[in-house]
Amino acid sequence: MRRDWTTVREDLYELAGEIGRSLDRPENLRLEDALGTTTSAPIVSPIPVPHFESSAMDGYAVAGPGPWRLVSDPVRSSGERNIHRRSGSIGVGEAWPVLTGSVLPQGTEGVVRIEHAETHGTTVRSLPDHPYNPGRDMRRRGEEMERGAELVAAGTVLGPRHVALLAACGIDVVSARRPMSVSMAFTGNEVIDSGVPQPGEVRDAFSAQFPHLLRGWGADISERTRLHDDHDVIREWISWASGDLVILTGGSGSSSQDFVRQILEDMCTELVATSIAVRPGHPTIVGRLPGDRLVLGLPGNPLAAHTSLYGLAPVALAGFLGRTMPRLRTAVLGRDVPPSRKAVTTLAPCVLDDDVARPCAGTRSHMLSGLAAADVLAVIPPEGATDGQRIDCLPLDRSALLLYPELRERV
């Protein structure tokens, strides 16, 4: 069942959303524990922001055109430790010393910065080259937002800047969805974990970076393991794998030794695709396992596995957590790419030169040098594309930051 790459992504997003909603049990988390979680409902401000009238600068709160008579000096005379909370009132022609963030006395019409003022005894004047402007350097109550304004939308991955805003507004507890858990297994008897590979051996090109990529996209890696190419071993592991998303690498081809394909085609309660009209990465399997688990059976060839992971895993995570569909960026193609001989979409590693995507060398399914040099995967349609044509691109490496701008301060 070979299917179009874009259609598979859309169907995977819908299936992941269906599963995520069925398992959705929001948790109330302390704000300090909520970083990286996904909000289950909008969060609104319990207060106007700012929630009181305050000074934007050190100086004098004043009323009237000046000069002004200094009526109180809480900075020097008060025994109260929190000077910022001092309150009072002033009338026309009066001045009250304030610090940045101090409550403004009632009747304040403006603030004269301390560096723009001179004092003689109890008289305060603005300097000639810094004339007083009413309303200046005052922080008005509610000028940023009113009480009840939405601070964070549902489906937002909470990054440090969101947490800072929520804290500033007095939020202590948030309702959030738990991360999507991922079980990962890497198959292949020929794969070794360390050292220089000998003929008939290949180094593991997945286990060091796949977990980091998935965590960056908002996943929780619940387990990862290496499996021998043994039908019963692989089937048993898939049966008890606990992740909401189960990922396997290798064994997705069509030979008698490709056990992952045989097992998934038998075990899946729903198959989104058993092959995708894309290169590299066409022998990728997407489906639903018993227990409402998603599964991605990725190819064993390293570039093919990487392009499939980048193209599909963020989509599954977004759907499961109720986020918007991950975005593709666009760029101008830097040279002609001929039509695909197999009439499939091509994911071409490209270097970005400003807004120009220049295809790399070393991009066959078993190669990684092109991927290592690339910034994006250009999505080339089956009919090919021409130099100067604007095309969709899938960001690489920092894709979590580009697909979800709210994560920029997380990574």
Side-chain angles (χ1 to χ4, degrees), residues 35-328:
L35 187 67
T37 62
T38 302
T39 55
S40 59
I43 303 175
V44 301
S45 179
I47 56 174
V49 181
H51 62 286
F52 61 92
E53 305 273 331
S54 67
S55 175
M57 303 295 290
D58 295 346
Y60 301 94
V62 298
W68 306 274
R69 180 174 59 86
L70 194 61
V71 296
S72 175
D73 193 349
V75 175
R76 287 198 293 264
S77 64
S78 173
E80 183 180 344
R81 296 182 65 184
N82 191 347
I83 297 168
H84 291 80
R85 296 178 61 181
R86 288 274 305 199
S87 61
S89 62
I90 57 175
V92 174
E94 295 181 333
W96 179 293
V98 290
L99 300 176
T100 302
S102 292
V103 175
L104 290 174
Q106 294 182 14
T108 299
E109 297 177 359
V111 173
V112 178
R113 301 183 186 187
I114 195 165
E115 64 268 26
H116 296 168
E118 60 181 1
T119 59
H120 297 283
T122 60
T123 300
V124 177
R125 289 185 173 87
S126 57
L127 295 174
D129 55 343
H130 292 284
Y132 164 66
N133 292 315
R136 184 174 181 179
D137 293 325
M138 296 176 64
R139 296 172 181 169
R140 304 286 186 177
R141 184 176 187 270
E143 68 179 8
E144 183 177 355
M145 65 184 71
E146 296 295 331
R147 178 181 179 181
E150 184 176 281
L151 301 173
V152 178
T156 298
V157 182
L158 292 176
R161 68 183 188 280
H162 301 116
V163 172
L165 175 62
L166 298 177
C169 294
I171 303 292
D172 294 316
V173 176
V174 299
S175 177
R177 293 182 173 131
R178 65 173 177 83
M180 188 181 203
S181 60
V182 178
S183 298
M184 307 184 72
F186 309 99
T187 71
N189 293 340
E190 74 281 14
V191 180
I192 62 171
D193 295 324
S194 62
V196 177
Q198 301 301 308
E201 298 177 335
V202 295
R203 273 292 300 268
D204 171 14
F206 305 135
S207 64
Q209 73 276 31
F210 277 17
H212 293 288
L213 284 168
L214 287 155
R215 289 191 189 101
W217 292 323
D220 176 29
I221 308 303
S222 58
E223 56 196 308
R224 58 176 173 170
T225 189
R226 180 168 301 288
L227 302 176
H228 290 295
D229 289 330
D230 180 284
H231 184 282
D232 293 341
V233 169
I234 295 172
R235 187 181 182 96
E236 181 181 2
W237 182 85
I238 294 173
S239 297
W240 59 255
S242 61
D244 303 306
L245 174 61
V246 178
I247 296 177
L248 300 102
T249 61
S252 66
S254 301
S255 77
S256 61
Q257 296 302 301
D258 284 317
F259 300 126
V260 171
R261 173 170 294 277
Q262 299 169 22
I263 294 165
L264 292 182
E265 289 183 349
D266 178 59
M267 290 185 66
C268 282
T269 59
E270 180 178 350
L271 283 167
V272 174
T274 55
S275 180
I276 303 176
V278 66
R279 287 186 183 273
H282 72 91
T284 296
I285 306 161
V286 181
R288 185 205 299 240
L289 289 166
D292 267 344
R293 297 172 295 159
L294 290 169
V295 64
L296 298 178
L298 307 181
N301 277 318
L303 181 57
H306 279 82
T307 57
S308 290
L309 186 78
Y310 276 104
L312 299 175
V315 172
L317 287 159
F320 184 88
L321 292 172
R323 303 176 191 159
T324 57
M325 180 79 166
R327 298 191 298 268
L328 300 177

Side-chain angles (χ1 to χ4, degrees), residues 333-346:
L333 189 61
R335 68 168 170 82
D336 292 347
V337 176
S340 166
R341 289 179 297 172
K342 300 286 187 178
V344 300
T345 298
T346 299

Side-chain angles (χ1 to χ4, degrees), residues 352-371:
L352 275 183
D353 183 4
D354 291 329
D355 192 39
V356 179
R358 304 189 186 280
C360 301
T363 58
R364 297 175 66 182
S365 62
H366 63 288
M367 300 177 176
L368 283 174
S369 56
L371 182 74

